[in-house]
Amino acid sequence: MTNETPADPYIFTTDLLPLDPRFLPPLANGLLGWRVYGDIMHMGGVYNGEGGDCHRANLPCPLAVRMDLDEVEKAGHLEHSYSLDTHTGIFTHSLRTVGVIASQSLYTHRHHPNLLVMEVLLVRQGTSQEPITIKLDSRFTPQSDDIVFHSEPDYKGASYIQGRTTTAEVPGGVCPSVHIIWTPITPSLTLLPDQAQSRWGFVVAVAGSQDSVQAHYDTALELMTNGNLRPSHLRAWEELWAGSTLELTGPDDLSRALIGCMFYLLSAFPSLHEAPGHFGGVSPGGLSNGGSGQDYWGHVFWDQDTWMYPSIGLFYPQLARAVLEYRVRTVDGAKDNAEKQGYKGLKFPWESAVSGREVCPEDIYGQQEIHINGDITLAFQHYLYLTQDMSMFTEGRGSEVIWGVADYWVSRVTWSAEEQEYHILGVMPPDEYYYNVNNSVYTNTVAKYSLEFAVELAAQLKYPAPQEWQQVADKIKIPFDQKQKYHPEFDGYKKGQFVKQADTVLLGYPLGLPMTPEVRRNDLEFYEAVTDPGGPAMTWGMFAVGWLELGEVEKAGRLLQKCFKNIQGPFQVWSESSDGSGAVNFLTGMGGFLQAVLFGYTGFRVQKDCLAFAPSIPEDITQLCIRGVSYLGNKMDWLVRGQEVYIILREGAKHAGNTKPCALQVVLKNSGTKIPLIPGKPVTFPRESGMICKVDGALSCWPM
């Protein structure tokens, strides 16, 4: 009997790389992204092409390098291993022979987002004193189909190119500049006879101007000189994980999947220390993907606001706010979209780049998939309820978004004298198998909630809300079949018609439309039976949340298990479809999967005056640990184990938002028991429904 140390679920290791290079691990930091060994990288907010031709600009990546041994060193036993350490965001290729261990490490710097790094370490094995040489095979060429690069004089011994994209997103717009400085990479590296080991470092700096790129390269040189290049990166990842950990004791594949999802999603967001205003949003395939003709061209969809944002918002208000600020910066384009459609207010694009003008290659989506407006306002609403940070809505201009969307809905509806209700005609629902339908139940519901939130926010900011906002919200049609007790997807939908993805089931979560358990069950059963099994990956997580609401833990687990078909290869890379096709690395599917655990197993619901909870975990999970939940300026750690729940409020919590911490309490639903949460002191209570809310009589967190 052996006592083997269990494998670390944060480290994904393999002896063989995936045959399909799309499933090599992507490395990103919210500004730069690339796929290891790839000769292309991307920079957030840098697109090329006008309108529907707009796509992420492909930038040449100097770290498109594979390490190998020369023929002499290959003689004898040779072992390869490849690992992605999600603790640190470092990918490592190791070669081992009787004479040497060679390691090539690659990472996008987490604290200094303008930097990419490659490090090579050679460690002599045995007693041989011969020189040992490794080869560095590079695929890099300093060229791009999207940017005409020009060579500049070397900078401090480094190569330097710069250029502009060839075509602006909008006519007359600015073509962004890209400057790249990198350490030249030699064809080989040699460990000299008198050396036991040696390390080499190579850095790439990418920025939008000469002054900026040179400053970032100088920073890299300084960090290398004082030995702080890798340590500063490690500290940044350590800090990020400390505020957003999701771990469980249970099935290994589920544990790895959750860690992988959190890692890739966190990688898509900016540094906790980055100045606001530079974030370019999150596309379905992340920053590593999205060139012309692939992975949705790197555009930003509702995927960001509905599927990825909620899990990030639960941990990091600062990163959640970056999403909202991205949308605020696109307000002018959204106004232009609405005017072109003949409506008032703001119409956010179905596919967004930088300007906020519609860049979807196919016009029908931009014209009809208008639920995007409600998806965006729901993200703003959740942010306010989690943080009570009114500055986002005043000087942050979030109120412009909320009120502009409300004005759009009022101008977009049509009054039905026959039904005495407002209709929204000619739309495409989230289920994109249908178009030009009337009264999509999802679209109408998010429109209703958008309008109600606009009225609520106007009251708080003492803004004179037009009466039409409330009138339309009160009388907008929400399709419902009284006889069969379920929600038809749209007017004229016949029960049994095939659907592409989660649509009507989203009414229960995340929208929270009130309905009886019978109706919720019917919606889940009716639509599960007709949902395309090859549809996009985020769907089954939403069905799982629904069944958890009804206490059907086993059913939820069965549906969540379907998601594993979308996880490809050893590095936990997701594909959009279960057969490996579609967008990669599909952050949208990861977001849905994470929500099934973060909001399903915990029962977390973000409400106006509380964070509700209703823990429900399957028998094969003995404990669920969530560290870093942010609420009203506080950070909490949760542990669900057996029939008990443990919570501890952190002392002096960092990255908990812009608001002063409020005094909080637990209120249990069945007994009414109230348990104050005191920083640093854990509390324990039976596993039942309840809520976290402000202590009775506590001063409001709302600014006066």
Side-chain angles (χ1 to χ4, degrees), residues 99-153:
V100 69
I101 298 176
S103 300
Q104 175 195 22
S105 297
L106 303 166
Y107 54 97
T108 53
H109 206 286
R110 187 66 250 195
H111 185 80
H112 299 282
N114 295 78
L115 302 179
L116 301 180
V117 182
M118 180 176 79
E119 297 170 345
V120 178
L121 173 65
L122 299 184
V123 179
R124 189 181 298 277
Q125 302 294 293
T127 59
S128 170
Q129 296 298 307
E130 295 297 317
I132 298 173
T133 299
I134 62 160
K135 296 188 298 182
L136 298 178
D137 295 328
S138 174
R139 295 174 53 211
F140 169 69
T141 55
Q143 299 171 347
S144 167
D145 293 336
D146 296 308
I147 298 174
V148 178
F149 278 108
H150 304 281
S151 295
E152 297 291 328

Side-chain angles (χ1 to χ4, degrees), residues 74-212:
K74 283 185 179 180
H77 185 67
L78 173 62
E79 294 180 3
H80 286 269
S81 68
Y82 306 88
S83 68
L84 174 64
D85 186 342
T86 63
H87 288 295
T88 63
I90 297 177
F91 174 84
T92 301
H93 170 209
S94 295
L95 286 170
R96 179 187 292 267
T97 71
V98 294
V100 69
I101 298 176
S103 300
Q104 175 195 22
S105 297
L106 303 166
Y107 54 97
T108 53
H109 206 286
R110 187 66 250 195
H111 185 80
H112 299 282
N114 295 78
L115 302 179
L116 301 180
V117 182
M118 180 176 79
E119 297 170 345
V120 178
L121 173 65
L122 299 184
V123 179
R124 189 181 298 277
Q125 302 294 293
T127 59
S128 170
Q129 296 298 307
E130 295 297 317
I132 298 173
T133 299
I134 62 160
K135 296 188 298 182
L136 298 178
D137 295 328
S138 174
R139 295 174 53 211
F140 169 69
T141 55
Q143 299 171 347
S144 167
D145 293 336
D146 296 308
I147 298 174
V148 178
F149 278 108
H150 304 281
S151 295
E152 297 291 328
D154 286 358
Y155 180 75
K156 297 184 177 180
S159 301
Y160 181 9
I161 59 173
Q162 60 82 24
R164 288 183 180 271
T165 58
T166 59
T167 309
E169 179 186 336
V170 295
V174 175
C175 292
S177 296
V178 175
H179 294 246
I180 305 174
I181 297 177
W182 70 96
T183 311
I185 297 175
T186 57
S188 64
L189 299 171
T190 299
L191 187 64
L192 300 176
D194 59 345
Q195 292 179 312
Q197 68 176 47
S198 189
R199 184 188 300 270
W200 295 263
F202 305 87
V203 294
V204 180
V206 188
S209 70
Q210 182 181 51
D211 288 346
S212 180

Side-chain angles (χ1 to χ4, degrees), residues 312-444:
I312 293 295
L314 193 63
F315 292 114
Y316 282 120
Q318 176 183 344
L319 300 184
R321 181 163 173 155
V323 169
L324 308 186
E325 290 171 341
Y326 165 77
R327 291 299 188 183
V328 168
R329 290 194 295 274
T330 65
V331 158
D332 289 344
K335 183 177 181 181
D336 184 66
N337 296 335
E339 289 176 351
K340 286 179 177 176
Q341 290 188 1
Y343 300 111
K344 298 179 181 178
L346 304 177
K347 163 58 178 70
F348 284 92
W350 178 240
E351 299 188 27
S352 178
V354 175
S355 72
R357 288 165 177 80
E358 185 62 66
V359 292
C360 181
E362 298 180 62
D363 186 60
I364 191 170
Y365 295 95
Q367 291 292 329
Q368 295 196 9
E369 206 151 357
I370 60 175
H371 64 80
I372 180 71
N373 264 11
D375 305 325
I376 290 170
T377 58
L378 185 63
F380 276 82
Q381 184 177 1
H382 278 199
Y383 177 81
L384 183 60
Y385 290 174
L386 280 169
T387 66
Q388 295 187 352
D389 174 16
M390 290 299 293
S391 70
M392 180 64 237
F393 296 84
T394 51
E395 56 262 37
R397 298 174 56 203
S399 59
E400 293 181 37
V401 172
I402 305 307
W403 297 335
V405 168
D407 287 339
Y408 176 83
W409 290 127
V410 169
S411 69
R412 185 65 172 77
V413 297
T414 300
W415 176 252
S416 169
E418 179 183 354
E419 296 189 18
Q420 291 292 294
E421 292 177 311
Y422 287 103
H423 290 188
I424 301 181
L425 309 178
V427 304
M428 179 183 288
D431 172 13
E432 294 170 328
Y433 286 168
Y434 303 94
Y435 58 92
N436 207 32
V437 302
N438 299 331
N439 296 314
S440 150
V441 68
Y442 178 86
T443 304
N444 287 23

Side-chain angles (χ1 to χ4, degrees), residues 12 25 42 87 89 114 173 180 187 245 283 286-287 320 323 379 422 427 447 455 463 503 534 574 608 624 646 679 699:
F12 308 147
H42 297 116
H87 288 295
N114 295 78
I180 305 174
T245 300
S283 59
L287 270 170
V323 169
Y422 287 103
V427 304
V455 172
Y463 176 83
D503 184 311
W574 281 56
K608 182 179 180 181
L624 175 65
Y646 307 80
L699 293 175

